[in-house]
């Protein structure tokens, strides 16, 4: 066995030290003669180099080069460090750089062996990819006089195997220190996808400063690239069971070898000693190593637990990563060590950092109470603050659709091939209310005509497909355009009273005009208007299709004589083409848009330029992080795939599907938008996540564990539970103005979520996609940028809260009250983020997004109560799961508490 400064007899099969004259190895039972091909360490070849400057072969010794010889015109030999069956190692001086290096030569007998030379090359290729203070650096290949060699970092020290033979075992504190260094170096290799495959004390050097270095990457390979016939290559005594059986070799095989080495470091003995391969396999599978604490009195039980986990026969039961081993060692903080070294910690290191994170049962119970009680308060506030729940309409959308279809049939239109309906806010009416001094929406009730919520019904003689990218494929009153004869659009209030009708007459019709047959009385009846309250006027509003008769009246709603309204209607050959109920708030939205001022043009140009700069910066940083190995490619891929899948499901549930070729348009539009958001997420994550991981990794610990698939990790449940509770509190705080009638600002987003189970699921998936994860990521990175600028957490929180509270309260009915509630809400949001990080923020945004898309109400028995039940069950169900995980296996109510 060969290492710097030591040459001792070793088994050629497993490299176990053996006594002089022994015929068999005490570890593997193989003859102490010629090594067997499948279990020996192998080396790698070199590329041609120049000859030596003068004769170097020793005349009377076994040394290949004498001290003072210059090799390849560059390296002056100082001394022979070691000599053995695997080659010779010399200490030399690099004459060009003036540095001391080690030169490793292949044995003379193997210098021309093709397989050995290839493995020698592989050692250099692989080792140069791993750069870490605890990994011996390999510099280059060379060849001189037919002798292949490699140059490597000179480590003045002793290999661990020799050290353990001298002193028996390491003191517990020193063993723990070296164990952390070993884990750090091996983790660096695994992060580059490199498997060492020959981890053992003989391949670990301890230098004069007591620092450990991993040596000898001769058998190293890229994960997943090991050929079937090469699986058993390595040192038998330090092989994992699956490697001995020839099944596979993975990072967890290295973890098994790590456990064997750590056991030997702490106890001075191997956990399994066998005379044959069969005996070794039997001990690995059926027996546990002798208790370490029984051998070492002062050993921390945590050390034994983590080592025994590494030695699990089933790879799936071993530690998930080397970093998890390091994190489980007493007093270990690999994350702090990486940050102190100025390195960007890997996502695996971040996930392995931090505590278990389990919550005490009393805290779990408290957060559950906050969530459930908060949902109840949100429902009570929703009853008085939302247009739909305030109106409490008696007709469901299905009934309103049937009534609209019946009206269209009475007007003489044939049965359609496709229909669509939804609920909408009358933005013109709400805008007029606010401008006229009624910003709180007192006229929102449907019986107080006209009401802020309208029912929209559309039918067509062919499948309805809207190819407009601007509309995202959604069916609207005039999208797709009313270009097909027989298309009809109907708008009513929530009591089914007609507000608007637009129909497309036949493109070709030879029927002679007959204005006497047009009866406008049914239209007034459908609108719930009294004709006696109206007087004739000249028509002003032009329909899309030119009629052959147009009529107009002016009057008022019953009970509202001060609100002047206008009614315009028309017909083609006796069949209605349009009917408009026009209020003072109604805008002619087909008229040319107003010209923008120079200030608005400048503002728009600046925004466009900023957007271009942001996009370019994100692309540049993403490319930079990827090229330097900092980007979390796996995490970015998982995030992009998640956004793609959830958004596509939201589109699939919510889109208007047709049994026609137009369905390809619907599918293409959904795929296009899902791909756009997925790619945006992927690139943004590659660009923005690495600097957060480098400068603020504590906020990504639970997030990294979740991305790693650790769904049952207590810290994950802990942060999700706290985030849900914070989200409920934030909604309540932001809705404080809604408690007071004089400052109440009505809301009404997400009406389509009430149109049926499919639409409810669509909005729920949208919440899980863009509403929570995507928005949380963007806001989190924005907060991180503030933190980079202001450096201190408290200053970051103050500036962030003030800026966004003021910006979002300027247009509120009562800016001061709104600003106060927003300052409180944003303060909670920032504090939760600073304390718990991205995962908690995502859970918070989940609740916030639900409150935007759905209406919480106590009227659970109404037709609009079903979605409220589903949403409450979603939040409570997620909270129960998070609480169970956060308990870490404990019970919420212990038996002792009941006693």
């Amino acid at each position: 066995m060969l290492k710097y400064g030591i040459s001792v007899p070793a088994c050629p099969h497993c490299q176990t030290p053996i006594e002089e004259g022994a015929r068999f190895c005490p570890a593997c039972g193989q003859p102490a003669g010629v090594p067997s091909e499948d279990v020996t360490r192998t080396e790698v070849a070199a590329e041609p180099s120049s000859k030596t400057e003068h004769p170097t072969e020793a005349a009377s010794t076994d040394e290949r080069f004498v001290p003072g010889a210059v090799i390849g015109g560059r390296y002056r030999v100082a001394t022979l460090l070691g000599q053995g069956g695997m080659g010779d190692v010399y200490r030399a001086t690099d004459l060009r750089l003036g540095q001391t290096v080690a030169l490793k030569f292949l044995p003379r007998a193997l210098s021309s062996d093709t397989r050995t030379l290839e493995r020698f090359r592989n050692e250099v290729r692989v080792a140069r990819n791993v750069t870490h203070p605890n990994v011996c650096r390999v510099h280059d290949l060379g060849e001189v006089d037919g002798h292949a060699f490699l140059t490597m970092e000179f480590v003045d020290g002793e290999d661990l195997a020799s050290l353990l033979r001298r002193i028996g075992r390491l003191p517990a504190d020193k063993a723990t220190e070296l164990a952390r260094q070993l884990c750090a170096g091996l983790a660096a290799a695994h992060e580059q996808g490199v498997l060492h495959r020959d981890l053992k004390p003989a391949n670990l050097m301890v230098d004069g400063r007591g620092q450990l270095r991993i040596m000898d990457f001769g058998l190293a390979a890229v994960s997943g690239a090991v050929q079937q016939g090469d699986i058993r290559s390595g040192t038998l005594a330090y092989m994992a069971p699956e490697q001995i059986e020839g099944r596979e070799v993975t990072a967890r095989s290295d973890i098994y070898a790590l456990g064997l080495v750590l056991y030997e470091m702490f106890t001075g003995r191997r956990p399994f000693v066998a005379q044959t391969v069969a005996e070794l396999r039997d001990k690995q599978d059926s027996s546990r190593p002798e208790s370490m604490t029984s051998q070492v009195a002062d050993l921390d039980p945590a050390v034994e637990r983590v080592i025994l986990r590494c030695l699990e026969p089933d790879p799936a039961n071993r530690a998930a990563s080397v970093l998890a081993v390091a994190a489980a060692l007493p007093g270990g903080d690999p994350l702090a060590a990486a940050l102190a070294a100025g390195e960007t910690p890997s996502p695996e290191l971040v996930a392995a950092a931090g505590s278990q994170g389990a919550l005490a049962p009393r805290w779990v119970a408290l957060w559950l109470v906050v969530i459930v009680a908060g949902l109840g308060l949100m429902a009570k506030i929703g009853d008085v603050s939302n247009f739909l729940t305030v109106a409490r309409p008696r007709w469901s959308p299905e009934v309103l659709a049937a009534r609209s279809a019946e009206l269209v049939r009475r007007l003489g239109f044939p049965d359609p091939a496709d229909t669509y309906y939804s609920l909408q806010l009358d933005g013109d009416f709400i805008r007029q209310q606010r401008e006229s001094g009624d910003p709180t929406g007192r006229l929102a009730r449907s019986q107080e005509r006209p009401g802020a919520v309208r029912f929209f019904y559309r039918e067509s003689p062919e499948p309805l497909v809207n190819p407009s990218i601007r509309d995202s494929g959604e069916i609207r009153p005039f999208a797709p355009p009313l270009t097909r004869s027989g298309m009809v659009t109907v708008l009513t209030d929530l009591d089914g009273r007609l507000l608007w009708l637009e129909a497309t007459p036949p493109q070709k019709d030879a029927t002679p005009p007959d204005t006497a047959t047009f009866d406008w009385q049914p239209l007034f009846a459908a609108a719930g208007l009294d004709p006696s309250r109206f007087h004739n006027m000249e028509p002003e509003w032009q329909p899309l299709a030119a009629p052959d008769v147009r009529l107009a009246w002016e009057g008022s709603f019953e009970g509202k004589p001060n609100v002047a309204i206008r009614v315009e209607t028309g017909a083609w050959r006796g069949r209605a083409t349009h009917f408009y109920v026009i209020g003072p708030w109604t805008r002619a939205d087909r008229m040319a848009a107003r010209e923008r001022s120079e200030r608005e043009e400048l503002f728009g140009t600046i925004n466009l330029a900023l957007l271009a700069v942001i996009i370019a910066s994100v692309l540049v940083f993403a490319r930079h992080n990827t090229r330097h190995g900092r980007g979390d490619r796996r995490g970015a891929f998982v995030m992009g795939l998640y956004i793609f899948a959830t958004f596509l499901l939201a589109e699939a549930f919510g889109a208007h599907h047709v049994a026609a070729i137009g369905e390809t348009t619907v599918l293409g539009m959904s795929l296009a938008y899902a791909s756009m958001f997925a790619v945006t997420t992927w690139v943004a994550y590659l660009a923005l996540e690495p600097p957060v991981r480098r400068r603020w990794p504590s906020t990504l610990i639970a997030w990294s564990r979740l991305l790693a698939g650790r769904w049952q990790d207590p810290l994950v449940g802990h942060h999700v539970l706290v985030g849900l509770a914070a989200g409920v509190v934030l909604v309540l705080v932001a809705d404080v103005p809604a408690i007071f009638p004089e400052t109440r600002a009505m809301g009404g987003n997400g009406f389509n979520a009430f149109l049926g189970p499919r639409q409810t699921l669509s909005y729920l998936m949208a919440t899980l996609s863009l509403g929570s994860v995507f928005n949380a990521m963007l806001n989190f990175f924005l907060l991180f940028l503030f933190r980079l600028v202001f450096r201190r957490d408290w200053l970051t929180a103050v500036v962030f809260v003030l800026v966004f509270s003021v910006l979002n309260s300027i247009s509120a009915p009562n800016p001061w009250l709104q600003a106060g509630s927003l300052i409180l809400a944003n303060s909670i949001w920032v504090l939760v983020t600073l304390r718990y990080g991205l995962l908690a923020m995502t859970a918070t945004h989940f609740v916030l997004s639900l409150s935007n898309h759905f209406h919480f109400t106590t009227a659970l028995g109404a037709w609009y109560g079903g979605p409220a039940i589903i949403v409450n069950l979603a939040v409570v169900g997620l909270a129960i799961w998070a609480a169970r995980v956060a308990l870490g296996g404990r019970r919420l109510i212990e038996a002792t508490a009941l006693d």
Side-chain angles (χ1 to χ4, degrees):
M1 179 175 59
L2 173 66
K3 283 297 166 190
Y4 299 165
I6 185 166
S7 179
V8 299
C11 172
H13 306 280
C14 67
Q15 297 301 300
T16 302
I18 58 177
E19 297 180 359
E20 292 287 351
R23 297 179 58 193
F24 298 95
C25 174
C28 66
Q30 299 290 331
V34 180
S36 58
E37 187 66 28
D38 63 333
V39 295
T40 56
R41 293 165 48 247
T42 55
E43 311 294 353
V44 224
E47 297 180 359
S49 180
S50 60
K51 303 284 186 180
T52 56
E53 291 185 358
H54 53 267
T56 56
E57 296 285 352
S60 58
T61 70
D62 291 334
E63 294 185 29
R64 197 177 314 191
F65 304 102
V66 297
V70 177
I71 299 174
R74 178 171 181 178
Y75 303 105
R76 185 185 301 280
V77 175
T79 183
L80 176 67
L81 294 173
Q83 197 171 41
M86 288 295 102
D88 306 339
V89 178
Y90 289 85
R91 177 178 176 177
T93 300
D94 186 336
L95 298 177
R96 294 184 187 175
L97 301 179
Q99 293 181 334
T100 301
V101 297
L103 305 181
K104 180 178 179 180
F105 286 84
L106 282 175
R108 289 185 177 91
L110 298 176
S111 294
S112 59
D113 182 75
T114 304
R115 183 177 180 185
T116 303
L117 288 172
E118 178 56 34
R119 286 185 171 176
F120 206 47
R121 293 189 184 96
N122 180 71
E123 179 174 359
V124 180
R125 276 195 299 265
V126 173
R128 289 179 69 173
N129 288 332
V130 183
T131 303
H132 194 272
N134 297 114
V135 175
C136 182
R137 294 190 298 274
V138 175
H139 301 311
D140 208 348
L141 285 166
E143 182 179 330
V144 59
D145 296 334
H147 301 293
F149 71 95
L150 60 82
T151 58
M152 55 197 301
E153 176 186 7
F154 172 73
V155 180
D156 185 13
E158 183 178 12
D159 68 59
L160 185 60
S162 172
L163 180 63
L164 292 175
R165 281 198 309 275
R166 283 196 303 105
I167 65 176
R169 67 175 178 86
L170 298 176
D173 56 347
K174 185 61 178 179
T176 303
E177 178 187 347
L178 293 183
R180 290 199 196 100
Q181 296 177 21
L182 173 56
C183 289
L186 187 58
H190 285 182
E191 185 177 348
Q192 298 299 322
V194 174
L195 307 179
H196 189 279
R197 298 209 301 159
D198 199 20
L199 197 67
K200 58 186 178 183
N203 285 339
L204 304 175
M205 288 287 289
V206 181
D207 65 20
R209 297 179 301 162
Q211 300 298 307
L212 182 138
R213 310 287 183 88
I214 301 176
M215 311 281 291
D216 202 340
F217 281 80
L219 292 181
V222 177
S223 179
V226 180
Q227 301 297 322
Q228 183 66 33
D230 196 35
I231 289 178
R232 289 190 177 92
S233 295
T235 302
L236 182 63
Y238 293 90
M239 283 188 189
E242 68 274 11
Q243 191 176 359
I244 296 177
E245 294 175 358
R247 288 188 283 113
E248 63 177 354
V249 55
T250 64
R252 300 203 179 194
S253 305
D254 275 355
I255 290 175
Y256 188 91
L258 173 66
L260 294 172
V261 172
L262 295 182
Y263 188 101
E264 201 168 342
M265 286 172 56
F266 281 94
T267 65
R269 302 171 57 185
R270 293 184 181 178
F272 304 112
V273 179
Q275 298 301 318
T276 65
V277 176
E279 183 183 358
L280 177 61
R281 284 291 297 113
D282 182 65
K283 286 190 175 183
Q284 288 178 334
D285 285 340
S286 60
S287 64
R288 294 179 65 83
E290 182 181 351
S291 171
M292 298 174 64
T293 52
S294 66
Q295 302 177 59
V296 183
D298 60 344
L299 185 66
D300 191 326
V303 173
E304 183 172 25
R305 284 195 299 269
V306 68
I307 292 177
L308 292 181
R309 188 179 177 194
C310 293
L311 297 178
E312 287 285 346
D314 186 355
N317 295 332
R318 294 174 200 155
S321 66
V322 179
L323 295 173
V325 177
L329 290 171
D333 191 355
L335 181 60
L339 295 177
E343 301 175 354
T344 299
S346 66
E348 293 78 14
L349 178 57
V350 174
S355 62
Q356 183 189 27
L359 267 178
R362 64 179 181 276
W363 286 106
V364 172
L366 173 63
W367 294 128
L368 286 176
V369 169
V370 169
I371 292 170
V372 175
L375 290 175
L377 289 175
M378 287 168 61
K380 293 295 292 183
I381 294 176
D383 286 341
V384 298
S385 66
N386 193 277
F387 284 124
L388 186 64
T389 51
V390 167
R392 293 186 180 271
R394 63 180 183 273
W395 303 118
S396 68
E398 291 81 2
V399 173
L400 292 173
R403 291 167 63 94
S404 298
E406 180 184 359
L407 170 63
V408 175
R409 301 288 82 74
R410 288 202 310 265
L411 295 176
F413 290 91
D415 292 338
D418 193 14
T419 62
Y420 177 85
Y421 59 86
S422 66
L423 294 171
Q424 297 181 340
L425 275 178
D426 188 345
D428 293 344
F429 175 67
I430 296 173
R431 185 182 303 106
Q432 189 266 351
Q433 280 186 280
R434 291 174 177 171
E435 292 174 354
S436 64
D438 182 27
T440 61
R442 291 194 302 269
L443 300 178
R445 296 182 182 275
S446 60
Q447 59 267 33
E448 298 181 16
R449 302 188 67 180
V453 183
R454 304 182 302 181
F455 175 78
F456 157 54
Y457 173 83
R458 180 82 184 267
E459 67 175 41
S460 171
E462 63 179 24
L464 285 165
V465 178
N466 183 8
S468 171
I469 295 178
R470 179 180 180 182
D471 296 323
S472 303
E474 182 180 350
I475 306 301
R476 300 182 183 274
F478 300 104
L482 295 168
T483 55
R484 296 294 182 182
S485 300
M487 283 185 169
V488 182
T489 292
V490 175
L491 296 176
T492 72
D493 62 20
L494 293 183
D495 283 334
R497 294 173 294 215
L498 182 62
L499 297 173
W500 191 281
L501 181 140
E502 191 91 33
T504 305
Q507 183 179 10
K508 182 179 181 181
D509 187 1
T511 305
D514 186 5
T515 58
T517 61
F518 174 56
D519 184 7
W520 45 264
Q521 293 288 347
L523 295 172
F524 268 80
L529 299 176
D530 182 3
S532 62
R533 301 179 60 86
F534 290 81
H535 56 275
N536 292 325
M537 298 290 293
E538 283 296 320
E540 295 179 355
W541 289 69
Q542 180 67 33
L544 288 171
D548 55 17
V549 60
R550 292 171 62 198
L551 300 171
W553 300 267
E554 192 173 273
S556 62
F557 292 122
E558 186 176 356
K560 294 183 182 293
N562 296 328
V563 180
I565 62 173
R566 186 180 184 88
V567 175
E568 296 217 10
T569 186
W572 173 266
R573 304 302 191 256
R575 181 183 297 176
T577 57
H578 68 282
F579 181 83
Y580 307 150
V581 178
I582 302 167
W585 53 85
T586 307
R587 294 191 304 173
D589 51 15
R590 297 205 309 270
M591 300 289 284
R594 67 178 180 85
E595 293 185 3
R596 301 190 349 170
S597 65
E598 292 184 1
R599 180 179 178 182
E600 290 174 325
E601 290 286 352
L602 178 61
F603 187 73
T605 303
I606 293 175
N607 280 342
L608 185 61
L610 287 175
L611 179 61
V613 170
I614 291 173
I615 293 174
S617 301
V618 167
L619 291 174
V620 169
F621 278 110
R623 183 173 182 269
H624 175 79
N625 291 333
T626 303
R627 291 184 61 186
H628 288 79
R630 298 170 186 160
D632 181 9
R633 298 190 182 187
R634 180 185 177 278
F637 175 78
V638 170
M639 292 307 305
L641 183 62
Y642 172 83
I643 293 296
F644 179 84
T646 51
F647 188 86
L648 193 61
L649 284 174
E651 290 286 293
F653 284 126
H656 178 67
H657 298 283
V658 295
I661 192 65
E663 182 66 15
T664 59
T665 301
V666 177
L667 176 61
M669 200 75 71
S670 299
L671 287 173
Y673 274 97
S675 300
M676 180 189 70
F677 285 116
V679 171
T680 301
T681 302
W682 174 65
V683 175
Y685 199 84
L686 285 175
L688 301 175
E689 186 267 348
V692 177
R693 185 162 22 100
R694 180 183 179 89
R695 299 174 180 270
W696 206 15
S698 60
T699 58
L700 296 177
I701 294 176
W703 177 265
S704 298
R705 293 183 185 182
L706 183 64
L707 283 188
R710 296 164 59 177
W711 298 87
Q712 299 299 317
D713 191 288
L715 189 68
V716 171
H718 178 176
H719 285 199
V720 170
L721 186 65
V722 172
L724 292 175
V728 170
V729 173
L730 281 177
V731 173
L732 292 174
V733 172
D735 284 347
V736 165
I739 300 175
F740 307 100
E742 66 276 8
T743 60
R744 182 177 302 150
M746 291 292 189
N749 294 332
F751 290 135
N752 287 344
F754 295 87
L755 299 180
R758 188 164 59 85
Q759 285 78 8
T760 300
L761 288 175
S762 172
Y763 276 84
L764 188 57
M765 295 307 300
T767 297
L768 290 170
S769 180
L770 301 184
S772 55
V773 176
F774 191 81
N775 286 339
M777 284 176 51
L778 294 183
N779 284 285
F780 175 76
F781 290 132
L782 182 62
L783 180 63
F784 171 70
L785 293 178
F786 270 70
R787 190 173 184 269
L788 286 181
V789 173
F790 298 102
R791 299 184 179 274
R792 303 193 179 199
D793 285 351
W794 68 268
L795 185 57
T796 300
V798 170
V799 175
F800 191 91
V801 167
L802 289 178
V803 168
F804 287 96
S805 298
V806 171
L807 289 178
N808 291 321
S809 60
I810 293 176
S811 60
N814 188 326
W816 292 106
L817 181 61
Q818 186 72 18
S821 67
L822 285 177
I823 287 175
L824 180 57
N826 287 332
S827 297
I828 297 172
W829 183 89
V830 171
L831 291 176
V832 168
T833 305
L834 293 175
R835 171 64 178 82
Y836 294 97
L838 179 55
L839 182 59
M841 181 197 285
T842 303
T844 299
H845 274 267
F846 174 70
V847 179
L848 293 175
S849 182
L850 285 178
S851 69
N852 289 330
H853 288 307
F854 294 89
H855 308 317
F856 291 86
T857 177
T858 59
L860 301 180
W863 63 263
Y864 48 85
I869 295 175
I870 293 176
V871 170
N872 280 287
L873 289 177
V875 176
V876 173
L878 185 59
I880 292 174
W881 167 82
R884 178 179 173 276
V885 173
L887 286 170
R890 292 174 294 179
R891 294 184 178 181
L892 184 60
I893 302 178
E894 301 288 352
T896 54
L898 296 176
D899 293 339

